[in-house]
């Protein structure tokens, strides 16, 4: 079953984006951004879902990234001001680049909705986020949480940055798998009911 052939109502897709943003803010508000469990959020699934469900390419990028941005601003400016640098946080650009790639993964891998494709896309999304966003953490001069000093600007520092990020990637992967099942499964149910209603 092709997502794009379902011709869903635009409002339903926006509702899914809104729900993802609210869940992220609620979960992120009470967690330290330095704890791996903070990565158990729907943002990876949201980007995959946006890439697969929006028929117009610009919307598939615009709405997930806008949701990510608004939830980031709320988290940084209201709940975690100690990590804020301006509106966002250090290394934010690489994080957003990783989500552009995740939307592309949604577009390319989930052309037809199936559990296998969604699982493969979720794994690819987690690996992409891990590689790109943590490169951004390293290159931005962020602090090593074990030493309290910036990561060294060499291969040893980059390697250490990736090793420390593995627990975060695990929760990002689990969150993406769980929320993808909810989003895509919920979307299929809603779309089926809408088609039956016509």
């Amino acid at each position: 079953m092709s997502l794009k052939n379902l011709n869903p109502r635009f409002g339903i897709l926006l509702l899914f984006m809104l729900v993802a943003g609210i869940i992220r803010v609620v979960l992120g508000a009470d967690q330290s951004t330095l704890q791996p469990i903070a990565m158990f959020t729907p943002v990876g699934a949201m980007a995959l879902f946006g890439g697969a469900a929006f028929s117009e390419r610009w919307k598939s990028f615009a709405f997930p990234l806008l949701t990510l941005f608004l939830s980031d601003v709320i988290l940084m400016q209201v709940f975690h001001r100690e990590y804020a640098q301006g509106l966002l946080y250090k290394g934010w650009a690489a994080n957003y680049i990783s989500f552009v790639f995740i939307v592309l993964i949604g577009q390319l891998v989930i052309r037809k909705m199936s559990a296998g494709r969604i699982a493969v896309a979720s794994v690819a999304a987690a690996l992409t986020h891990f590689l790109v966003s943590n490169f951004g953490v390293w290159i931005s001069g962020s602090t090593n949480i074990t030493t309290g000093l910036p990561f060294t600007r060499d291969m040893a520092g980059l390697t250490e940055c990736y090793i420390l990020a593995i627990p975060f990637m695990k929760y990002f992967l689990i969150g993406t798998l769980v929320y993808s099942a909810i989003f895509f499964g919920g979307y299929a149910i809603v779309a089926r009911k809408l088609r039956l209603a016509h």
Side-chain angles (χ1 to χ4, degrees), residues 43-78:
V43 290
M46 174 190 68
L48 288 176
F49 180 76
F54 284 101
S55 57
E56 294 180 75
R57 186 176 290 265
W58 73 269
K59 291 179 182 176
S60 68
F61 287 99
F63 290 108
L65 289 172
L66 180 60
T67 304
L68 180 65
F69 174 73
L70 292 175
S71 60
D72 271 345
V73 169
I74 293 170
L75 286 172
M76 289 298 104
Q77 298 302 314
V78 177

Side-chain angles (χ1 to χ4, degrees), residues 112-179:
K112 292 186 177 180
M113 189 169 60
S114 71
R117 286 176 182 267
I118 293 167
V120 167
S122 296
V123 172
L127 287 172
T128 299
H129 183 265
F130 171 75
L131 293 172
V132 177
S133 66
N134 288 296
F135 182 82
V137 168
W138 173 73
I139 202 73
S140 69
S142 292
T143 302
N144 181 331
I145 58 174
T146 61
T147 66
L149 300 171
F151 288 102
T152 57
R153 293 298 185 90
D154 53 19
M155 189 55 67
L158 179 60
T159 301
E160 186 173 17
C161 182
Y162 279 123
I163 290 172
L164 289 173
I166 290 173
F168 294 87
M169 184 193 74
K170 179 180 74 172
Y171 281 101
F172 186 91
L173 172 60
I174 295 169
T176 303
L177 286 167
V178 169
Y179 286 108

Side-chain angles (χ1 to χ4, degrees), residues 28-123:
D30 294 329
Q31 298 170 356
S32 167
T33 58
L34 298 181
Q35 295 300 316
I37 189 65
M39 295 303 293
F40 184 78
T41 70
V43 290
M46 174 190 68
L48 288 176
F49 180 76
F54 284 101
S55 57
E56 294 180 75
R57 186 176 290 265
W58 73 269
K59 291 179 182 176
S60 68
F61 287 99
F63 290 108
L65 289 172
L66 180 60
T67 304
L68 180 65
F69 174 73
L70 292 175
S71 60
D72 271 345
V73 169
I74 293 170
L75 286 172
M76 289 298 104
Q77 298 302 314
V78 177
F79 298 105
H80 299 297
R81 291 188 62 82
E82 67 273 22
Y83 301 114
Q85 298 216 340
L87 275 179
L88 299 177
Y89 44 85
K90 187 180 284 188
W92 66 268
N95 195 42
Y96 280 68
I97 290 169
S98 76
F99 279 94
V100 168
F101 284 123
I102 294 172
V103 171
L104 281 171
I105 291 168
Q107 290 176 344
L108 297 173
V109 177
I110 314 177
R111 292 176 183 269
K112 292 186 177 180
M113 189 169 60
S114 71
R117 286 176 182 267
I118 293 167
V120 167
S122 296
V123 172

